[in-house]
Amino acid sequence: MTRASLDKQPHEVAAMFDDVAARYDLTNDVLSLGQARLWRKAVAQAVDARPGERVLDLAAGTGTSSMPFAAAGAYTVPCDFSLGMLTEGKKRQPWMPLTAGDATRLPFRDEVFDAVTISFGLRNVQDTDAALRELHRVTKPGGRVVICEFSQPTWAPFRTVYTEYLMRALPPVAKAVSSSPDAYVYLAESIREWPDQPALARLLQQAGWSKVAWRNLTGGIVALHRGIRR
């Protein structure tokens, strides 16, 4: 599955995230009405990082999403393709091993991580299938994947209201709080075009992951997909 429908090349998407890096975490909290913090907590519980484990946090941005895994005692590698995000993250957490990397060609050996996770970044990768295969490649047998991504609300009336918020309310709110509001117009469009819960589960299975399941958060606005590497 490619993301060419949004008509942006990888370097253009990276530049977009470079532009919003400084206020990215604040903007997410505002636009999600505070739900982003609850979603990060759900991811941390699903990953269940343990002391001594190695955890890859892909599309980690400034490293905020990586903090719970490190706090649990796991050796955590935040990885992102936006140098602006990584630079901002290094200012905040200079001790973390922030790493630049392309999700479709990860700079890691085979079977090195006990757990891999990506939150709100998979839909920005141009080739979703390649990214899921790469996550599978770098995970140890028996290791786990956790994907947190925007999805489709399960209640039809709410789904209509949510879509209206994305396309009408989100851009003006982003303009007020973000350093690059145009980026959030792109993000709204990427959310609208993203596969629903069963479709993403099928992509995970096709990439080699087993025991794939998902759990809806906030009525399906976000879904938490999980899988195991055989």
Side-chain angles (χ1 to χ4, degrees):
M1 175 186 172
T2 63
R3 306 297 295 150
S5 58
L6 291 177
D7 198 30
K8 280 190 182 292
Q9 295 302 309
H11 70 277
E12 294 177 302
V13 178
M16 180 186 71
F17 280 99
D18 290 346
D19 290 341
V20 302
R23 304 183 70 182
Y24 183 71
D25 295 322
L26 170 63
T27 303
N28 284 348
D29 282 341
V30 172
L31 294 179
S32 69
L33 307 178
Q35 293 296 299
R37 297 185 183 190
L38 297 177
W39 298 334
R40 283 196 295 269
K41 184 177 180 180
V43 171
Q45 291 173 340
V47 170
D48 190 24
R50 299 157 198 165
E53 287 190 328
R54 293 189 176 191
V55 175
L56 171 63
D57 186 14
L58 189 56
T62 61
T64 299
S65 60
S66 305
M67 296 296 286
F69 315 133
Y75 178 77
T76 305
V77 179
C79 182
D80 203 282
F81 71 155
S82 166
L83 296 181
M85 286 285 191
L86 295 171
T87 300
E88 184 66 26
K90 203 66 178 176
K91 294 177 186 175
R92 302 180 189 182
Q93 288 90 225
W95 52 273
M96 293 195 82
L98 289 104
T99 303
D102 179 347
T104 64
R105 295 186 298 274
L106 291 173
F108 308 109
R109 300 192 314 273
D110 296 354
E111 302 179 3
V112 294
F113 292 101
D114 298 283
V116 294
T117 183
I118 179 170
S119 294
F120 307 111
L122 189 59
R123 72 183 189 287
N124 297 317
V125 177
Q126 194 170 46
D127 190 337
T128 307
D129 299 323
L132 293 175
R133 289 193 300 269
E134 275 292 273
L135 286 171
H136 186 272
R137 178 184 67 80
V138 302
T139 303
K140 296 177 182 178
R144 54 207 185 274
V145 63
V146 175
I147 296 173
C148 184
E149 189 53 89
F150 289 107
S151 199
Q152 297 294 324
T154 54
W155 188 43
F158 177 58
R159 188 160 57 241
T160 301
V161 172
Y162 174 64
T163 302
E164 289 295 309
Y165 169 74
L166 278 178
M167 302 314 298
R168 295 189 182 185
L170 189 149
V173 173
K175 186 175 182 179
V177 298
S178 171
S179 55
S180 181
D182 288 346
Y184 287 87
V185 174
Y186 163 82
L187 292 177
E189 293 172 350
S190 72
I191 292 169
R192 189 171 61 174
E193 293 194 13
W194 185 245
D196 63 11
Q197 293 89 325
L200 181 54
R202 287 193 293 271
L203 292 178
L204 277 159
Q205 291 167 336
Q206 290 166 10
W209 295 97
S210 64
K211 298 183 179 179
V212 174
W214 73 85
R215 177 165 68 96
N216 289 317
L217 304 175
T218 318
I221 287 179
V222 165
L224 210 58
H225 282 71
R226 303 178 304 282
I228 300 294
R229 191 193 195 283
R230 294 187 185 91

